[in-house]
Structures are given as structure tokens and as C-alpha cells.
Amino acid sequence: MSDTNLQLHPLRALIAILALGWLTACAAPFDPDERLSVDVPTRAAVADVPLIQQEAFYCGPTSIAMVMQWSGHDVTQADIAALAFSPGAGGTYLADMIGSARRKGQLAVEVNNFDTLLGEVSAGHPVIVFQNLGLGIAPVWHYGVVTGYDLQKDAVYLNSGQLDQMVMPFALFERTWRRGDFWGLVVLPPDDLPATAPETAVLNAAAALERVEQFQAAETLYETGATRWPDNWLWQFGLGNARYAQGDLRGARRALLRARAIAPDIPEIQTNLTHVQSLM
Amino acid sequence: MGLFNMTKTGVAIALSAQLVLATTAVTMAQAEMLGTDLAISKYAQHQDRTFLMNELQRDDIRAEIVRLGVDPAEAEARLAALTDAEVASIMVQMEKDNAGADVVGTLFTIFVILLVTDILCLTRIFNFTRCVR
């Protein structure tokens, strides 16, 4: 009697889970009209993102390596792992993904919803996404790279640490991404701006490159930002500082003079300009 | 009376001396380049501005990173690459991961559940499963 009960119990639980699963599986197909507040093409694909077979637990470093190889850099998953992987945790923390990309001189900006994810992919930029491929109670954390999507075919295409491309229906992709709090990362060379990132996010990414002493990359990013947002003096200010840090006093002065022309009343510009001129 | 006047003069001298010194100190403090990130946080930053982490908290996290098998010098370099808010996100993630470690022991049940949820398109664990919809 009690034996039968013991045997029935897990079975009942399984049936309950099955039923629950069906309910949620059928309840919410991905509706682009409802989930997107911007217009994106029906389909888009980023060409030439390499597929790299990840080593155990290296999905994070592998994702960054794939994106950096796509943009023409010679880096391996082991190179990135040395800067980002935490052996005791068996994984890579989100912040270390950002930090390692910066230490490689890359522009790293987060995306956090479908608007920006699909916006970047349709602008030709692969996006690293943080997923829980398992469940809340049994998480299987994973990083993959979204390289394309097709709303009509209901497919999200990922380079996911294996030699085969991974294809996920939108609803499944959304579930796995939602469990990762919709965390995504665009990693680009500093002369290529993300299509969707707000100006302040890019400015911060540039200042972060200065912080890790990637002054050449910071200089390029400030120049690129100054072209896109010519009315904001902070780009010229940062450009001045990045050039100063590389010993380019003349270039620094040119940039700071331009900053002052845009915003004559900012004391910080005057201070740095005075300092640079005192050394010339 | 004379004593009072002398005191007043003394106070006046002391005060003006202090004023001159303070002005010099400010001028001296400005005799170096002001950082871009400071200017951004003053003029452009809207989010994260309230987030200030003290050195002690950063020390705790550094120790935790080293405990996870990262070389101390490398841990230092990683923290240097991050803003306070980003460092805080590492802390949150570390706590989350500890919570996840309790599931060990129910592995087989979990395996069966994940197999089923894979087939139901709720998860994507196994390569051999096909999502039915």
C-alpha cells in the first residue's frame, strides 16, 4: 500500500509538471507586434561570425572570441578566459565579460530587450546573450551569440559554442533569455558604434577604455562619437584626455579647443586646456 | 582696549593667511588633468550616479574572486576595468550561483524534468531533443 504510494508520487509530480508545461508552452507564442516597439526587418543575418567549439565551461570567453574574430581580431577563447573566467565558479561573470572586452580595446555596451537585440542584429552587429537553458530550480547558464533572426520562420540563429548553428523558436529563445534577465552585450571595434545604444552608454564605454589604459581605442571611440554627436563637448574633452595620455599634446590641445568652442563655460575644459598648454 | 585691537588684527591676519593658503591649495589641486569619467558623471550621467562602493566592499569582492581561483594580480586588473555598479553585479551573481548549488542530489529527477521541458520547448539542454510545438 505504502509502496504504491511511493511509486505514484513522482509520477503524479511529473504529470503535473507536464500539464503545467503544456499550458505555458501554448499560452504565449512570440508576437513581434506586441513585443517590439521599433520597426525591424522581417529577417536579418550577420555574415561571417565564426563557429568555435567551446572548451568546457568556456561559453563566455568563446562568445567574445567569436565576435572579436568576426571583427578581424586574432584572439582565442583561452586569451579571453585568462581575462574573464572564474575557475571556482565554473563560469564567467557578466561584469567580467564587459571588463575583458574593454581590456582587449573593444567597445562594450549592454542591450536589454528585443528592440535593441533585433535592432543591433539588423544593423549587422552580432549580440552576445546570457541565457539560462535550464529552469530556475536547475539553472544551466550559458552565453551564446545571436547572429540572425527570421520573424516569418519563427527562428533565432545562434552561434552557441558548438560547430553547428543553433536555431531556436522565438518563444523558446525568449524563455531562456528571460531567465538571464534579458542581458545582452554588443562588442565592437571602437570605430563602429552600436545602432541602438544611447549616447551616455557609449560615452561611459569610452571612458572605461581610458580607465583600462586602452588609450588608442578610447581616442578612436571619442573621434567616432564626436562625428555622430557633434554637439556634445564631452567627446572632444575625452578625446583631449586620451591624446594627452598618449603624450600627444598638440592633438590634445586641438580637441580641447574644439570642446571649448562647443561649450565656452565649462571650467573642466579650461583647467585641462591650461594644463596642456603649460606643458607645450 | 589696546589688547582687544591687537587680537582683532591677529585674527584678521590669521584669517587672510588661511584664505591665501586655501586658494593656493585649490589652484594646486587643479594643476593636473581632470578625468573624462568625472566629467561624464557630473555632466552626462543619469543612471548609476547614486552608486558608490567603498574600498572595503571592493576588498571583499577581490578576496572572493581570488577564492574562486583567480590570481590576485589578475583579480585586481579585473576590478579596475569595472565601474562600481558593474562590480556590484558580480556580487549579486555570486550570491545567485550559491543558491543554485543546492540542487545537487536530485540530479536524476532534474534530468527527467529537463528532458520533458526540452521537448515542451521550455528549455534547451540536450542536443538530441526536438522541440514539439
Side-chain angles (χ1 to χ4, degrees):
Chain A
M1 186 68 189
S2 61
D3 273 352
T4 0
N5 266 338
L6 276 174
Q7 282 179 344
L8 265 174
H9 244 82
L11 197 66
R12 268 198 219 133
L14 193 64
I15 290 167
I17 287 164
L18 260 164
L20 243 170
W22 270 122
L23 281 176
T24 37
C26 302
F30 185 88
D31 178 1
D33 292 335
E34 200 176 293
R35 297 307 308 274
L36 295 172
S37 54
V38 294
D39 266 342
V40 294
T42 310
R43 64 187 63 81
V46 185
D48 301 326
V49 183
L51 285 153
I52 302 179
Q53 176 64 50
Q54 70 172 78
E55 286 162 35
F57 303 118
Y58 272 16
C59 54
T62 304
S63 298
I64 292 188
M66 287 191 282
V67 173
M68 285 190 67
Q69 287 185 13
W70 161 80
S71 61
H73 297 84
D74 185 20
V75 288
T76 64
Q77 55 179 305
D79 296 339
I80 304 295
L83 306 178
F85 185 69
S86 297
T92 305
Y93 290 110
L94 301 178
D96 285 332
M97 294 286 284
I98 301 175
S100 59
R102 282 179 191 154
R103 287 163 73 194
K104 286 288 179 186
Q106 300 297 291
L107 157 60
V109 173
E110 288 183 29
V111 300
N112 294 101
N113 55 48
F114 273 97
D115 281 353
T116 45
L117 171 69
L118 302 189
E120 288 302 334
V121 172
S122 58
H125 300 148
V127 180
I128 297 171
V129 288
F130 181 58
Q131 299 165 287
N132 177 357
L133 297 177
L135 294 168
I137 50 157
V140 178
W141 299 111
H142 185 67
Y143 293 97
V145 181
V146 176
T147 59
Y149 68 87
D150 190 326
L151 293 171
Q152 212 161 37
K153 285 189 188 160
D154 187 24
V156 178
Y157 302 97
L158 297 118
N159 288 14
S160 197
Q162 295 156 358
L163 293 179
D164 294 329
Q165 189 182 49
M166 185 183 270
V167 186
M168 275 188 180
F170 262 93
L172 172 57
F173 173 76
E174 182 186 14
R175 286 194 188 96
T176 60
W177 198 30
R178 177 194 299 280
R179 294 186 197 114
D181 283 335
F182 296 111
W183 188 90
L185 190 69
V186 181
V187 174
L188 293 172
D191 59 354
D192 187 1
L193 294 180
T196 62
E199 180 182 6
T200 307
V202 184
L203 256 177
N204 277 309
L209 286 173
E210 278 191 78
R211 201 160 48 235
V212 294
E213 304 189 352
Q214 288 283 342
F215 297 117
Q216 175 71 58
E219 178 179 359
T220 307
L221 182 49
Y222 286 126
E223 282 168 347
T224 317
T227 313
R228 160 104 69 105
W229 294 287
D231 299 332
N232 188 346
W233 59 271
L234 279 163
W235 296 103
Q236 298 292 348
F237 183 76
L239 184 57
N241 285 354
R243 284 178 177 167
Y244 170 82
Q246 298 173 87
D248 175 12
L249 293 177
R250 290 177 163 283
R253 183 172 70 172
R254 277 199 309 277
L256 289 167
L257 284 173
R258 279 196 297 269
R260 194 174 65 180
I262 298 170
D265 301 324
I266 305 288
E268 281 82 356
I269 302 175
Q270 195 52 52
T271 303
N272 285 9
L273 193 54
T274 309
H275 181 68
V276 167
Q277 280 168 341
S278 75
L279 297 172
M280 290 176 78
Chain B
M1 203 61 162
L3 188 66
F4 181 62
N5 266 339
M6 266 170 67
T7 322
K8 248 183 20 184
T9 320
V11 169
I13 289 171
L15 276 179
S16 22
Q18 201 187 4
L19 192 69
V20 170
L21 277 176
T23 320
T24 322
V26 168
T27 324
M28 278 170 57
Q30 285 187 347
E32 58 184 74
M33 294 290 275
L34 300 175
T36 318
D37 44 3
L38 287 177
I40 292 174
S41 63
K42 182 169 169 190
Y43 293 98
Q45 189 86 298
H46 300 298
Q47 73 273 33
D48 301 341
R49 197 197 307 214
T50 50
F51 213 102
L52 279 177
M53 190 171 274
N54 64 41
E55 271 312 301
L56 223 60
Q57 285 170 303
R58 276 192 175 243
D59 284 349
D60 278 352
I61 297 163
R62 182 180 302 112
E64 187 63 18
I65 296 174
V66 171
R67 197 187 62 77
L68 288 174
V70 176
D71 176 73
E74 169 62 17
E76 194 69 45
R78 287 187 191 183
L79 280 175
L82 303 175
T83 65
D84 281 353
E86 287 160 355
V87 174
S89 84
I90 282 204
M91 199 161 52
V92 171
Q93 239 192 326
M94 283 171 168
E95 283 163 8
K96 258 196 206 167
D97 277 8
N98 287 342
D102 293 337
V103 229
V104 185
T106 51
L107 268 180
F108 182 70
T109 322
I110 296 292
F111 170 78
V112 173
I113 292 174
L114 289 177
L115 200 63
V116 173
T117 54
D118 250 27
I119 293 166
L120 293 176
C121 303
L122 292 170
T123 57
R124 178 67 163 81
I125 307 293
F126 306 108
N127 278 332
F128 53 83
T129 56
R130 266 194 74 99
C131 167
V132 289
R133 280 158 36 84

